[in-house]
Amino acid sequence: MLRVCWKGANAAAQKCLCGKVAAHPLQHCRRYTSAGNSGSAAGKIVAASLLTVGGGLGGTILYAKWDPKFRANVEKNVPYSDQLFEMTLGPPPPPFIPLQKKPIKVEPLQISSVSEASKDSKQPKSKGKSKEKQSEPAPVEPKPVAEETPAQSQQTIEAEECHECASQEPTLKERPVEEVAARLAQQDRAEQEALTALSADLEEALGTSAKFTLQAIGAQEVALTAIGTHTLKLREAMDSEDPSDKKSSQWRELDDALSERTRSVDQAGQALLQAKEQLEKLRDLINSAKESKLESARPQILAAEENLHSMIVDLDKVVTKVQAAQSEAKIVSQYSELVNEARAQFQKELSSITPEVQANWKGLTGKLSVDDLNSLIAHAHRRIDQLNRELAEQRVREQIRIEAALDQQKHEHQRAMEQTMTTAIQHSREDMRLEQEKKVQEVREVMEAEMRTQLRRQAAAHTDHLRDVLKVQEQELKEEAQENLSIKMMELETNYRRQAQEQLDSFTLDVNSAYARLQGMEEAIDSHVVAEEEARKAHQLWLSVEALNYTLKTAAADTPTEPLEGAVHAIKESCADNEFAQALTTALPEESLTRGVYSEASLRARFYNVRRLARRVALIDETRNSLYQYFLSYLQSVLLFEKEQEAPPAKLAPQDLDTFKLLAYATYSIEHGDLELAAKLINQLRGESRRVAQDWLKEARLTLETKQVISLLSAYANAVGLGTTQAP
Amino acid sequence: MSEKEIGQKWDRCLADCAIKAGAGLGLGIVFSVVFFKRRTLPIAFGTGAGLGMAYSNCQNDLRSPYLLQRNTTKEQ
């Protein structure tokens, strides 16, 4: 059952697994296939997206290449696109500005009847000049056109600048004031310069043209007068019936006058041409000035134009006068020609009749015969008839001719009138134009003034507003600045105080430390001084103690030392303030001071003597002191044999108080240098032995005492000296 | 010097003995010659007296440090 269940469970599990496994591969397969499909689909999607993006970019770039506005837009909106565009397309194209002004049509210089005036004076030069003149208006036309284009280009540049600044506006909020001011100043300066140049040019041109015009006018008047004189002379010559020499002089004068006239007319013509040239130049200048559109130069231009006009008018007047004179002269010359012709004919006839008569027929009164005279008179009558006939004919013809001439004259008059009319119309037109321009100028000025006032008002309002705003801003900024300033100041002050305090503290610290060091140094020095003093004193003490010690050595064999007084005195002096030393020095026994002490060696030597004697009188004391006892003690000392030296015990027992024993101990001690012990032992002697050893004992005691004191002193001196010695 | 004292004393003693003995001898001789018909008695006697006096002097001299002096008894 369990197995069955187990199997069942296994089977179920396996089934499940298999099922799952069976299902999964399908799913996996499906997934694989779908993955494969999806893989290709993903690739397709990726490819498609790439294509769209690339296409979009390419399309944008191409369209930007074609349409700069679009390009500008894109550059404005998409950052870094301008770099892309620059990379692919190159820098952006310059902005396109349409022409703002039509070209001004320059009217060719219509100077009246230049050709006519030049024809009359028979000057091919003038004709050439007139041709030049006519060709000059042609170049005058292209000149203003050429001048226009720079003006246009200037305008375009200005417009471009404006467009640039307009395009720059999105990047710059506002052009900086200095730039604007600079630009304005620059423009003003340029204007000023141009104006000055223009005015200079105008003045110059005006001057030259006026000069030339005057010259021309003068020349024309001169020509006029010359023509007048010539005509007059001619008429006189014609009308007068003076004798031949006067006639010849008259003719000469006439020739002179003619030459004069021709010359003056030539000169007049030249001057006129020059004047015309100058006037044309002036006109060109005026036109160019007009083209330059300088507002401030307008009155000057107007004035120049007026001057030009007046000069032209004067010139025309003079020219008309000259022309009238010339026409009159022509008539007169024609008349003179006719007269001359008639005269010549008559002369011919006369010469044909009277061949021998030559020269002037007026001077023939005295030389002719009667026949001649009759023939002359007949001829004259015939001539008169002929002339009468001719006159009648002429009258008729004259009538016709007069009519024709009248017609012609009418035509001519009409033509002249037309011409004068046209010139007058032109003049009036010019006047009107000038007046119009003047009016325009005035109106413009007025408008300008009004505009200026309006602008000023606006500027005033603006400045007021600005002032208010500035005031408010100023206030705010002032407060802010004040606050900042106060904060900074406080900070700085606290900083400064802190730093000052720090410095002060450090300084005080330094000073204190220095002072302490100084104190320490002073103390050290004082202590040094004291120590040195001490050392000196110690040295002195030691020296004096050494001296004392030395004096001890001065003891000879049996004589005591020198009295120690000197040395002790020296010691006392050297250590006057040393209580210990003083005490010690006072502890010295008087005897040593006055008499000196015996040396140990002498005491030792003396001891043996004392010992012998003490041995001999060992038995003698208060009770036994007879001579017999003396003899007995002597016998004892001879007969008693004992050790000469015997080491003394640490403690003396009562049986050691025997003389001989004591002496033995003392000898031993003496031999071993222990004077003190010997003295102690000797002090135990009694009786006569004691009396015998009394002096020696005293001496020994003195010596011992002195030695003790001196040793103490020396030890003390050494100790003091050691104490004062300073360790390195 | 106390050790020399006893020697000095002994010197005195001897000198005194010699003197006294000599003097005694001399007196003895004299007396014997003069008075005592050359008996040796006075010589002996003089010499002996002399010696005896010297002996006692010596003894006194040697004893002198141990004797109580009159000053002390007087002071008492």
Side-chain angles (χ1 to χ4, degrees), chain B residues 2-21:
Chain B
S2 59
E3 64 263 23
K4 283 189 187 143
E5 188 190 339
I6 203 145
Q8 285 167 357
K9 273 182 187 169
W10 276 113
D11 287 341
R12 274 208 300 270
C13 245
L14 280 174
D16 194 38
C17 178
I19 290 169
K20 286 220 169 37

Side-chain angles (χ1 to χ4, degrees), chain A residues 610-664:
Chain A
V610 166
R611 178 176 172 278
R612 195 161 38 85
L613 278 174
R615 278 183 96 242
R616 273 191 207 156
V617 294
L619 273 175
I620 308 297
D621 60 12
E622 297 94 7
T623 54
R624 301 185 182 105
N625 53 11
S626 65
L627 269 175
Y628 180 57
Q629 296 294 331
Y630 274 96
F631 171 68
L632 280 178
S633 81
Y634 177 73
L635 198 64
Q636 186 186 23
S637 75
V638 165
L639 288 176
L640 194 68
F641 295 102
E642 62 181 3
K643 277 188 252 181
E644 194 179 338
Q645 295 177 17
E646 205 174 313
K651 268 191 185 178
L652 275 175
Q655 63 261 26
D656 290 330
L657 291 177
D658 184 29
T659 305
F660 293 100
K661 267 237 161 60
L662 283 169
L663 282 173

Side-chain angles (χ1 to χ4, degrees), chain A residues 606 625 688 691-692 695, chain B residues 1-3 5 63 65-66:
Chain A
R606 202 168 142 186
N625 53 11
E688 189 66 28
R691 270 192 68 243
V692 161
D695 267 350
Chain B
M1 305 292 186
S2 59
E3 64 263 23
E5 188 190 339
R63 264 187 194 169
Y66 298 105

Side-chain angles (χ1 to χ4, degrees), chain A residues 154-166:
Chain A
Q154 197 189 12
Q155 286 165 15
T156 52
I157 287 162
E158 280 180 5
E160 196 178 34
E161 280 175 356
C162 289
H163 187 74
E164 263 183 10
C165 68

Side-chain angles (χ1 to χ4, degrees), chain A residues 78-91:
Chain A
V78 178
Y80 297 113
S81 61
D82 55 349
Q83 287 180 10
L84 177 69
F85 282 135
E86 216 172 304
M87 238 178 6
T88 50
L89 299 175

Side-chain angles (χ1 to χ4, degrees), chain A residues 392-673:
Chain A
E393 204 181 308
Q394 201 65 27
R395 263 200 203 118
V396 171
R397 259 194 222 144
E398 194 186 326
Q399 198 74 25
I400 297 164
R401 260 200 222 123
I402 277 172
E403 281 171 20
L406 270 174
D407 285 337
Q408 201 186 10
Q409 190 65 29
K410 214 185 287 177
H411 283 296
E412 271 196 26
H413 186 70
Q414 204 159 11
R415 204 166 42 82
M417 207 173 64
E418 272 175 23
Q419 216 167 24
T420 49
M421 253 178 60
T422 48
T423 52
I425 285 166
Q426 268 181 17
H427 286 164
S428 68
R429 206 176 281 162
E430 278 285 320
D431 280 336
M432 270 172 56
R433 196 176 60 80
L434 285 170
E435 272 205 36
Q436 188 191 12
E437 292 226 342
K438 241 188 253 175
K439 284 235 174 69
V440 162
Q441 184 67 18
E442 279 172 24
V443 166
R444 191 172 284 153
E445 275 174 23
V446 165
M447 296 307 293
E448 283 264 347
E450 205 172 304
M451 191 152 164
R452 234 175 246 137
T453 49
Q454 292 296 334
L455 280 172
R456 223 174 281 142
R457 224 178 270 168
Q458 192 183 15
H462 185 61
T463 49
D464 282 341
H465 172 66
L466 272 178
R467 201 179 297 143
D468 290 338
V469 167
L470 278 172
K471 229 181 253 176
V472 167
Q473 261 187 6
E474 188 190 329
Q475 213 50 39
E476 281 175 23
L477 284 171
K478 218 183 263 182
E479 279 174 13
E480 207 180 302
Q482 203 70 27
E483 251 184 61
N484 278 345
L485 185 73
S486 63
I487 286 168
K488 281 259 168 61
M489 284 286 294
M490 263 170 52
E491 264 179 46
L492 279 173
E493 232 181 88
T494 48
N495 220 12
Y496 169 72
R497 279 221 192 93
R498 190 174 51 79
Q499 275 183 359
Q501 199 60 38
E502 272 179 16
Q503 272 195 3
L504 218 85
D505 287 341
S506 72
F507 186 67
T508 320
L509 214 73
D510 287 340
V511 163
N512 279 342
S513 68
Y515 189 66
R517 276 171 66 198
L518 186 70
Q519 288 274 10
M521 269 163 54
E522 272 183 10
E523 275 179 16
I525 288 167
D526 285 343
S527 67
H528 268 258
V529 161
V530 163
E532 270 185 25
E533 188 69 30
E534 290 280 310
R536 196 179 59 76
K537 276 192 196 149
H539 282 146
Q540 262 192 334
L541 182 66
W542 186 82
L543 281 170
S544 43
V545 164
E546 279 297 304
L548 193 62
N549 252 338
Y550 187 70
T551 52
L552 276 182
K553 289 186 193 132
T554 57
D558 283 326
T559 54
T561 62
E562 289 173 3
L564 304 178
E565 198 170 359
V568 168
H569 193 63
I571 287 175
K572 276 191 186 159
E573 275 180 0
S574 74
C575 55
D577 52 349
N578 204 340
E579 285 176 7
F580 188 61
Q582 292 289 332
L584 280 176
T585 47
T586 48
L588 272 172
E590 280 293 322
E591 284 285 327
S592 68
L593 293 176
T594 50
R595 196 205 55 181
V597 294
Y598 283 97
S599 65
E600 263 195 44
S602 65
L603 282 171
R604 220 173 120 243
R606 202 168 142 186
F607 175 73
Y608 285 109
N609 205 17
V610 166
R611 178 176 172 278
R612 195 161 38 85
L613 278 174
R615 278 183 96 242
R616 273 191 207 156
V617 294
L619 273 175
I620 308 297
D621 60 12
E622 297 94 7
T623 54
R624 301 185 182 105
N625 53 11
S626 65
L627 269 175
Y628 180 57
Q629 296 294 331
Y630 274 96
F631 171 68
L632 280 178
S633 81
Y634 177 73
L635 198 64
Q636 186 186 23
S637 75
V638 165
L639 288 176
L640 194 68
F641 295 102
E642 62 181 3
K643 277 188 252 181
E644 194 179 338
Q645 295 177 17
E646 205 174 313
K651 268 191 185 178
L652 275 175
Q655 63 261 26
D656 290 330
L657 291 177
D658 184 29
T659 305
F660 293 100
K661 267 237 161 60
L662 283 169
L663 282 173
Y665 291 154
T667 315
Y668 181 82
S669 331
I670 280 273
E671 279 302 308
H672 284 83

